PDB file of all heavy atoms in Angstrom:
ATOM      1  N   ARG I 157      84.924 -15.634 -97.272  1.00 94.00           N
ATOM      2  CA  ARG I 157      85.796 -16.178 -96.237  1.00 94.00           C
ATOM      3  C   ARG I 157      86.180 -15.070 -95.263  1.00 94.00           C
ATOM      4  O   ARG I 157      86.644 -14.006 -95.659  1.00 94.00           O
ATOM      5  CB  ARG I 157      87.091 -16.745 -96.857  1.00 94.00           C
ATOM      6  CG  ARG I 157      86.876 -17.766 -97.912  1.00 94.00           C
ATOM      7  CD  ARG I 157      88.130 -18.610 -98.187  1.00 94.00           C
ATOM      8  NE  ARG I 157      89.332 -17.896 -98.505  1.00 94.00           N
ATOM      9  CZ  ARG I 157      89.784 -17.690 -99.737  1.00 94.00           C
ATOM     10  NH1 ARG I 157      89.082 -18.118-100.771  1.00 94.00           N
ATOM     11  NH2 ARG I 157      90.920 -17.074 -99.936  1.00 94.00           N
ATOM     12  N   THR I 158      86.002 -15.358 -93.970  1.00 95.00           N
ATOM     13  CA  THR I 158      86.407 -14.433 -92.922  1.00 95.00           C
ATOM     14  C   THR I 158      87.464 -15.101 -92.063  1.00 95.00           C
ATOM     15  O   THR I 158      87.248 -16.200 -91.550  1.00 95.00           O
ATOM     16  CB  THR I 158      85.206 -14.045 -92.036  1.00 95.00           C
ATOM     17  OG1 THR I 158      84.186 -13.467 -92.856  1.00 95.00           O
ATOM     18  CG2 THR I 158      85.628 -13.051 -90.970  1.00 95.00           C
ATOM     19  N   VAL I 159      88.623 -14.465 -91.912  1.00 96.00           N
ATOM     20  CA  VAL I 159      89.730 -15.072 -91.181  1.00 96.00           C
ATOM     21  C   VAL I 159      89.377 -15.209 -89.702  1.00 96.00           C
ATOM     22  O   VAL I 159      88.928 -14.261 -89.059  1.00 96.00           O
ATOM     23  CB  VAL I 159      91.015 -14.230 -91.330  1.00 96.00           C
ATOM     24  CG1 VAL I 159      92.127 -14.798 -90.445  1.00 96.00           C
ATOM     25  CG2 VAL I 159      91.472 -14.215 -92.784  1.00 96.00           C
ATOM     26  N   VAL I 160      89.590 -16.420 -89.182  1.00 96.00           N
ATOM     27  CA  VAL I 160      89.440 -16.695 -87.754  1.00 96.00           C
ATOM     28  C   VAL I 160      90.806 -16.787 -87.090  1.00 96.00           C
ATOM     29  O   VAL I 160      91.027 -16.280 -85.995  1.00 96.00           O
ATOM     30  CB  VAL I 160      88.650 -18.008 -87.524  1.00 96.00           C
ATOM     31  CG1 VAL I 160      88.577 -18.352 -86.038  1.00 96.00           C
ATOM     32  CG2 VAL I 160      87.270 -17.912 -88.127  1.00 96.00           C
ATOM     33  N   ASP I 161      91.747 -17.455 -87.767  1.00 95.00           N
ATOM     34  CA  ASP I 161      93.103 -17.650 -87.231  1.00 95.00           C
ATOM     35  C   ASP I 161      94.074 -17.605 -88.407  1.00 95.00           C
ATOM     36  O   ASP I 161      93.988 -18.440 -89.306  1.00 95.00           O
ATOM     37  CB  ASP I 161      93.191 -18.990 -86.502  1.00 95.00           C
ATOM     38  CG  ASP I 161      94.511 -19.176 -85.754  1.00 95.00           C
ATOM     39  OD1 ASP I 161      95.478 -18.449 -86.051  1.00 95.00           O
ATOM     40  OD2 ASP I 161      94.566 -20.065 -84.889  1.00 95.00           O
ATOM     41  N   ARG I 162      94.969 -16.643 -88.392  1.00 94.00           N
ATOM     42  CA  ARG I 162      95.905 -16.470 -89.508  1.00 94.00           C
ATOM     43  C   ARG I 162      97.095 -17.411 -89.442  1.00 94.00           C
ATOM     44  O   ARG I 162      97.839 -17.548 -90.409  1.00 94.00           O
ATOM     45  CB  ARG I 162      96.420 -15.020 -89.541  1.00 94.00           C
ATOM     46  CG  ARG I 162      95.354 -13.993 -89.815  1.00 94.00           C
ATOM     47  CD  ARG I 162      95.929 -12.581 -89.840  1.00 94.00           C
ATOM     48  NE  ARG I 162      94.866 -11.602 -90.010  1.00 94.00           N
ATOM     49  CZ  ARG I 162      94.385 -11.228 -91.186  1.00 94.00           C
ATOM     50  NH1 ARG I 162      94.875 -11.755 -92.289  1.00 94.00           N
ATOM     51  NH2 ARG I 162      93.419 -10.334 -91.262  1.00 94.00           N
ATOM     52  N   ASP I 163      97.316 -18.047 -88.315  1.00 95.00           N
ATOM     53  CA  ASP I 163      98.486 -18.905 -88.155  1.00 95.00           C
ATOM     54  C   ASP I 163      98.123 -20.078 -87.255  1.00 95.00           C
ATOM     55  O   ASP I 163      98.431 -20.090 -86.070  1.00 95.00           O
ATOM     56  CB  ASP I 163      99.657 -18.110 -87.572  1.00 95.00           C
ATOM     57  CG  ASP I 163     100.933 -18.923 -87.491  1.00 95.00           C
ATOM     58  OD1 ASP I 163     101.022 -19.945 -88.191  1.00 95.00           O
ATOM     59  OD2 ASP I 163     101.838 -18.545 -86.720  1.00 95.00           O
ATOM     60  N   VAL I 164      97.442 -21.065 -87.842  1.00 97.00           N
ATOM     61  CA  VAL I 164      96.989 -22.211 -87.069  1.00 97.00           C
ATOM     62  C   VAL I 164      98.186 -23.067 -86.675  1.00 97.00           C
ATOM     63  O   VAL I 164      98.997 -23.458 -87.517  1.00 97.00           O
ATOM     64  CB  VAL I 164      96.000 -23.065 -87.883  1.00 97.00           C
ATOM     65  CG1 VAL I 164      95.596 -24.313 -87.108  1.00 97.00           C
ATOM     66  CG2 VAL I 164      94.768 -22.244 -88.261  1.00 97.00           C
ATOM     67  N   THR I 165      98.304 -23.350 -85.390  1.00 97.00           N
ATOM     68  CA  THR I 165      99.344 -24.252 -84.904  1.00 97.00           C
ATOM     69  C   THR I 165      98.734 -25.246 -83.932  1.00 97.00           C
ATOM     70  O   THR I 165      97.784 -24.925 -83.209  1.00 97.00           O
ATOM     71  CB  THR I 165     100.479 -23.481 -84.195  1.00 97.00           C
ATOM     72  OG1 THR I 165      99.931 -22.686 -83.142  1.00 97.00           O
ATOM     73  CG2 THR I 165     101.226 -22.588 -85.171  1.00 97.00           C
ATOM     74  N   LEU I 166      99.279 -26.438 -83.924  1.00 98.00           N
ATOM     75  CA  LEU I 166      98.797 -27.475 -83.032  1.00 98.00           C
ATOM     76  C   LEU I 166      99.171 -27.112 -81.594  1.00 98.00           C
ATOM     77  O   LEU I 166     100.339 -26.840 -81.316  1.00 98.00           O
ATOM     78  CB  LEU I 166      99.445 -28.809 -83.434  1.00 98.00           C
ATOM     79  CG  LEU I 166      98.773 -30.106 -83.029  1.00 98.00           C
ATOM     80  CD1 LEU I 166      97.384 -30.215 -83.651  1.00 98.00           C
ATOM     81  CD2 LEU I 166      99.632 -31.290 -83.461  1.00 98.00           C
ATOM     82  N   PRO I 167      98.216 -27.085 -80.657  1.00 98.00           N
ATOM     83  CA  PRO I 167      98.559 -26.791 -79.261  1.00 98.00           C
ATOM     84  C   PRO I 167      99.623 -27.744 -78.736  1.00 98.00           C
ATOM     85  O   PRO I 167      99.620 -28.940 -79.057  1.00 98.00           O
ATOM     86  CB  PRO I 167      97.231 -26.969 -78.523  1.00 98.00           C
ATOM     87  CG  PRO I 167      96.188 -26.697 -79.565  1.00 98.00           C
ATOM     88  CD  PRO I 167      96.756 -27.238 -80.837  1.00 98.00           C
ATOM     89  N   ALA I 168     100.538 -27.221 -77.942  1.00 97.00           N
ATOM     90  CA  ALA I 168     101.662 -28.023 -77.464  1.00 97.00           C
ATOM     91  C   ALA I 168     101.228 -29.106 -76.485  1.00 97.00           C
ATOM     92  O   ALA I 168     101.845 -30.171 -76.410  1.00 97.00           O
ATOM     93  CB  ALA I 168     102.703 -27.117 -76.807  1.00 97.00           C
ATOM     94  N   GLU I 169     100.182 -28.829 -75.701  1.00 98.00           N
ATOM     95  CA  GLU I 169      99.708 -29.799 -74.713  1.00 98.00           C
ATOM     96  C   GLU I 169      98.514 -30.559 -75.268  1.00 98.00           C
ATOM     97  O   GLU I 169      97.431 -30.005 -75.421  1.00 98.00           O
ATOM     98  CB  GLU I 169      99.325 -29.088 -73.414  1.00 98.00           C
ATOM     99  CG  GLU I 169     100.493 -28.425 -72.705  1.00 98.00           C
ATOM    100  CD  GLU I 169     101.544 -29.437 -72.255  1.00 98.00           C
ATOM    101  OE1 GLU I 169     101.150 -30.563 -71.874  1.00 98.00           O
ATOM    102  OE2 GLU I 169     102.735 -29.108 -72.308  1.00 98.00           O
ATOM    103  N   PRO I 170      98.656 -31.849 -75.583  1.00 98.00           N
ATOM    104  CA  PRO I 170      97.550 -32.606 -76.173  1.00 98.00           C
ATOM    105  C   PRO I 170      96.417 -32.841 -75.185  1.00 98.00           C
ATOM    106  O   PRO I 170      96.649 -33.043 -73.993  1.00 98.00           O
ATOM    107  CB  PRO I 170      98.208 -33.928 -76.581  1.00 98.00           C
ATOM    108  CG  PRO I 170      99.389 -34.063 -75.675  1.00 98.00           C
ATOM    109  CD  PRO I 170      99.873 -32.665 -75.422  1.00 98.00           C
ATOM    110  N   VAL I 171      95.192 -32.839 -75.712  1.00 98.00           N
ATOM    111  CA  VAL I 171      94.004 -32.992 -74.868  1.00 98.00           C
ATOM    112  C   VAL I 171      93.099 -34.138 -75.345  1.00 98.00           C
ATOM    113  O   VAL I 171      92.536 -34.854 -74.524  1.00 98.00           O
ATOM    114  CB  VAL I 171      93.196 -31.676 -74.836  1.00 98.00           C
ATOM    115  CG1 VAL I 171      91.884 -31.852 -74.072  1.00 98.00           C
ATOM    116  CG2 VAL I 171      94.026 -30.552 -74.219  1.00 98.00           C
ATOM    117  N   VAL I 172      92.956 -34.321 -76.657  1.00 98.00           N
ATOM    118  CA  VAL I 172      91.937 -35.233 -77.171  1.00 98.00           C
ATOM    119  C   VAL I 172      92.550 -36.329 -78.037  1.00 98.00           C
ATOM    120  O   VAL I 172      93.645 -36.193 -78.565  1.00 98.00           O
ATOM    121  CB  VAL I 172      90.864 -34.483 -77.983  1.00 98.00           C
ATOM    122  CG1 VAL I 172      90.175 -33.421 -77.129  1.00 98.00           C
ATOM    123  CG2 VAL I 172      91.471 -33.852 -79.229  1.00 98.00           C
ATOM    124  N   TYR I 173      91.793 -37.409 -78.181  1.00 98.00           N
ATOM    125  CA  TYR I 173      92.172 -38.472 -79.113  1.00 98.00           C
ATOM    126  C   TYR I 173      90.915 -39.064 -79.725  1.00 98.00           C
ATOM    127  O   TYR I 173      89.817 -38.973 -79.168  1.00 98.00           O
ATOM    128  CB  TYR I 173      92.971 -39.578 -78.413  1.00 98.00           C
ATOM    129  CG  TYR I 173      92.122 -40.554 -77.620  1.00 98.00           C
ATOM    130  CD1 TYR I 173      91.696 -41.761 -78.179  1.00 98.00           C
ATOM    131  CD2 TYR I 173      91.716 -40.270 -76.316  1.00 98.00           C
ATOM    132  CE1 TYR I 173      90.906 -42.649 -77.461  1.00 98.00           C
ATOM    133  CE2 TYR I 173      90.929 -41.150 -75.589  1.00 98.00           C
ATOM    134  CZ  TYR I 173      90.525 -42.339 -76.171  1.00 98.00           C
ATOM    135  OH  TYR I 173      89.735 -43.203 -75.466  1.00 98.00           O
TER     136      TYR I 173
END
Side-chain angles (χ1 to χ4, degrees):
R157 305 198 306 262
T158 302
V159 174
V160 176
D161 188 342
R162 296 180 184 274
D163 185 19
V164 176
T165 56
L166 202 62
E169 295 297 325
V171 175
V172 301
Y173 79 95

